[in-house]
Amino acid sequence: MDALRRGDARPRGQLVLVDGHPLGTMVTATDPLVLSGPYGGGHRLPYTGGSSYAGVEVRPGPTVEFAYSPGEVVTAAADAGLRIVQLVEHLDVSFDPRSGVVHQERDGRWRLRVDGRPLPTLYTLLAVRPGDRRRSSERRLAAQLRGKQHFP
């Protein structure tokens, strides 16, 4: 977020961000519904165990995450001079991002449901630096993301 706020994005660059949706990360149980942690606000969230997005074993140790809402991330990108092309909240994903809370359904997709309704587990943001001459490739990428109902 600090890099976005400083405007460190490269000229004519693109930002493609796929991240955990804060609502999905707040849910610790669905029946009854139990929420924990902040939705946003840049709150510092320290953890003592190591983990990895890559699925590889990591040496245990302290880590810190920060809670930002999609609105805060989009605003930071816009404030950094990026043009927002697309923001997608994913109600189903191809993997289990939250062991024990998200469940695989008959179609093979994973969903977080509360009262039978799916909640977002991930979101994707696509933004570009204005003046990028690759407008057609930007539109093509956005169309690909829109057309991939099973992304990610």
Side-chain angles (χ1 to χ4, degrees), residues 107-142:
D107 63 357
R109 304 292 293 169
W110 295 81
R111 291 178 183 85
L112 170 59
R113 291 192 181 269
V114 173
D115 289 333
R117 295 190 167 99
L119 297 179
T121 54
L122 298 175
Y123 72 97
T124 300
L125 171 64
L126 173 61
V128 296
R129 174 75 65 192
D132 190 343
R133 292 180 290 211
R134 297 174 290 176
R135 288 274 275 220
S136 62
S137 66
E138 163 195 321
R139 282 193 287 267
R140 193 169 37 254
L141 177 60

Side-chain angles (χ1 to χ4, degrees), residues 11-63:
R12 295 179 22 186
Q14 296 180 354
L15 169 67
V16 178
L17 172 69
V18 180
D19 199 7
H21 194 289
L23 184 55
T25 59
M26 288 175 63
V27 176
T28 57
T30 57
D31 190 21
L33 178 61
V34 178
L35 302 176
S36 67
Y39 181 82
H43 294 278
R44 181 183 170 92
L45 305 171
Y47 296 96
T48 55
S51 65
S52 169
Y53 287 94
V56 296
E57 192 171 320
V58 176
R59 233 182 10 206
T63 60

Side-chain angles (χ1 to χ4, degrees), residues 15-22 70-71 73-74 84-93 95 109 120-127 141-142 144-146 148-152:
L15 169 67
V16 178
L17 172 69
V18 180
D19 199 7
H21 194 289
V73 175
V74 167
I84 307 306
V85 175
Q86 187 174 49
L87 175 65
V88 179
E89 295 176 294
H90 302 284
L91 299 177
D92 63 279
V93 293
F95 62 97
R109 304 292 293 169
T121 54
L122 298 175
Y123 72 97
T124 300
L125 171 64
L126 173 61
L141 177 60
Q144 287 173 344
L145 289 177
R146 271 193 305 276
K148 267 191 149 182
Q149 60 180 211
H150 295 306
F151 177 81

